[in-house]
Amino acid sequence: MSDVTKLIHEYLRHNKKFPHVFCAGCGHGIVLGSLVRSVHALQLPKDNVVIVAGIGCSGRMAVYVDFNTVHTAHGRALTFATGIKMANPELHVICVMGDGDALSIGGNHLIHAARRNIGVTALILNNQIYGMTGGQCSPATPQGDLSMTSPYGSLEQPFDTVELAKAAGANFVARSTSFHANQLDTLMQQAIMHPGFSVLEALTPCPTQYGRKNKFRNVVDMYTWLKKNTVKVEKLKEGDTRIPTGVFQMLDRPGLEERYSELRRSLRPEE
Ligand code: SF4
Ligand code: MG
């Protein structure tokens, strides 16, 4: 039994349940567990880790961890994260956002963080819907899927987070799901440690807002769907329409904060 599991068992001996807001079956808790396990496995001192969260169900993750945390405005998490990393380049800054947060209201910040290649890890929990606000269509809702604002099926083409981040210039781009917890742990550790801007998309089931509207009977159906409809990118063959998972881009260009430090050193060599 790992130290983290022992701590959880100890907590549950004194408390009947965790004081969190996630609905039963929500995939976000699995991503939160992966984040905690990854920081533990990497043996990062808690004081060197900063979680910057946006607004939404995923934003609550900042409230449940004992790192430095900032719960920011909707869509603006990456702007706070950029400032923190520029001022304190030695910190591991992890920005937690939902698909609405990262791809809609914060979409511009995402592409510019990637273009600048700021040394921040963007963890994007994609449940294909706005969960906390009642199930509105997001930029990740698949075309034809039902939501509160698309009762006859969405007419819009969704963003592909991976392709967007790659094209915008992120150093590290990966995707996993709540169903693939081991793969998620591995990619989370890589994303945290990779220099420059890292994007890790985690597909997570939202049984309450997305699942019910799209005729999934229960969360087991949603995990079964994730299992059947995803494939490791190395095994993807031409014509395969499943969603690829794994690492899609790994570059080693210096992060913005590194280039800034070099500039400062060249302008003020005495510092
Ligand atoms: Fe999770 Fe959806 Fe419930 Fe939010 S609304 S906590 S995303 S299941
Ligand atoms: Mg969402």
Side-chain angles (χ1 to χ4, degrees), residues 98-100 125-131 138:
D99 46 310
L125 290 90
N126 181 0
N127 56 12
Q128 304 180 318
I129 205 144
Y130 281 93
S138 90

Side-chain angles (χ1 to χ4, degrees), residues 52-252:
V52 185
I55 297 298
C57 302
S58 61
R60 296 294 298 175
M61 282 171 58
V63 181
Y64 305 137
V65 290
D66 187 20
F67 308 130
N68 301 290
T69 59
V70 197
H71 198 176
T72 69
H74 199 196
R76 308 292 173 231
L78 276 168
T79 63
F80 288 81
T82 299
I84 293 167
K85 186 69 182 180
M86 288 300 280
N88 304 275
E90 73 287 354
L91 296 177
H92 294 279
V93 182
I94 302 165
C95 202
V96 178
M97 300 169 283
D99 46 310
D101 206 31
L103 303 174
S104 185
I105 189 167
N108 224 21
H109 299 310
L110 181 73
I111 57 174
H112 290 288
R115 178 181 66 81
R116 291 174 179 138
N117 202 28
I118 178 79
V120 165
T121 305
L123 175 57
I124 302 176
L125 290 90
N126 181 0
N127 56 12
Q128 304 180 318
I129 205 144
Y130 281 93
M132 187 173 266
T133 49
Q136 295 86 359
C137 187
S138 90
T141 304
Q143 194 166 348
D145 278 14
L146 305 175
S147 73
M148 185 202 261
T149 46
S150 59
Y152 303 106
S154 170
L155 299 174
E156 300 173 12
Q157 183 179 304
F159 270 137
D160 180 325
T161 312
V162 162
E163 294 303 323
L164 185 68
K166 272 170 63 183
N171 251 9
F172 180 87
V173 182
R175 178 192 285 129
S176 188
T177 87
S178 297
F179 179 77
H180 303 88
N182 289 338
Q183 182 198 43
L184 188 61
D185 284 11
T186 305
L187 296 179
M188 185 85 70
Q189 290 174 38
Q190 283 183 270
I192 292 171
M193 295 313 290
H194 200 89
F197 192 55
S198 303
V199 175
L200 173 58
E201 179 181 46
L203 303 177
T204 75
C206 167
T208 311
Q209 297 297 354
Y210 179 85
R212 280 185 200 158
K213 289 182 180 68
N214 286 283
K215 313 284 185 283
F216 284 96
R217 286 171 308 171
N218 52 44
V219 73
V220 177
D221 277 2
M222 298 189 78
Y223 278 102
T224 307
W225 188 95
L226 270 180
K227 183 182 176 192
K228 279 191 188 154
N229 289 281
T230 51
V231 59
K232 283 191 180 155
V233 65
E234 312 85 66
K235 294 188 179 168
L236 191 70
K237 297 214 169 64
E238 212 180 321
D240 193 335
T241 55
R242 289 177 292 174
I243 302 167
T245 63
V247 177
F248 298 85
Q249 182 145 284
M250 208 188 293
L251 308 173
D252 63 357

